[in-house]
Amino acid sequence: MLREYRHLLRTAPADWQETAHRHALTRLGAAARQALLLEVQRLCLTGTRVRPDDVPTLARLLVHGERHRPRVLLDGMRPDLLRLLARAVVTSPTGRTLRVGEDIWDGADPAGPADEPLVRGGVGWSGEWGSAVTPVDLGSTWLPTPLPRRRR
């Protein structure tokens, strides 16, 4: 079930992912939504004003949290909650339609910000999964020549 969930997260458009998560979260119930919300708040450091009955916002947090930082939710979430969420999303009406191509998917995750090469003189871009600011030596960009020495 986790492979199917990963396939959905890696290949489906974000709006379809949100729809699948909304269906799943509505079906799960308030106690499971509360536990998932606490996990999202802990892992993504966001959503402090979201309530468990705000299903669209919770679905958006789950999808965009994983798209922005790949594997943060998959690796950090409690295994029982992850299995519960994965099963609910994959078996939702939208999730079943998004399983196309699962048999030929290579299972690759997108490169994370740490895996990306540094872009000299600007900000790095991590492709369709989100953006990441990369450390750049801006001193050579702003000051191409050394400053003159002060006279004493």
Side-chain angles (χ1 to χ4, degrees):
M1 207 43 76
L2 289 178
R3 179 177 166 78
E4 292 91 352
Y5 184 58
R6 281 184 55 236
H7 173 264
L8 186 141
L9 289 174
R10 300 300 179 243
T11 60
D15 53 344
W16 284 84
Q17 288 181 30
E18 284 184 36
T19 303
H21 280 80
R22 278 196 308 269
H23 285 273
L25 291 170
T26 302
R27 208 171 61 193
L28 283 179
R33 284 195 304 265
Q34 175 67 35
L36 285 166
L37 177 60
L38 291 174
E39 286 292 299
V40 169
Q41 290 171 343
R42 179 180 68 86
L43 294 169
C44 297
L45 303 175
T46 188
T48 56
R49 296 182 182 182
V50 178
R51 296 183 359 200
D53 58 343
D54 189 3
V55 173
T57 305
L58 181 54
R60 192 174 313 110
L61 286 175
L62 284 165
V63 169
H64 290 286
E66 184 63 26
R67 287 179 73 87
H68 181 66
R69 300 286 283 170
R71 302 228 35 120
V72 70
L73 294 175
L74 292 174
D75 290 342
M77 194 178 291
R78 288 186 356 224
D80 58 330
L81 277 178
L82 182 60
R83 282 191 301 273
L84 180 73
L85 178 65
R87 176 170 283 119
V89 171
V90 169
T91 60
S92 72
T94 308
R96 284 193 300 266
T97 62
L98 296 174
R99 294 179 73 174
V100 175
E102 181 182 313
D103 53 341
I104 59 170
W105 181 56
D106 64 356
D109 285 323
D115 301 335
E116 296 173 0
L118 295 179
V119 178
R120 190 126 179 99
V123 174
W125 176 257
S126 62
E128 65 178 309
W129 296 101
S131 64
V133 176
T134 57
V136 175
D137 179 18
L138 295 177
S140 62
T141 304
W142 289 339
L143 302 172
T145 57
L147 290 175
R149 296 195 329 142
R150 241 187 211 182
R151 290 188 179 178
R152 293 187 183 192

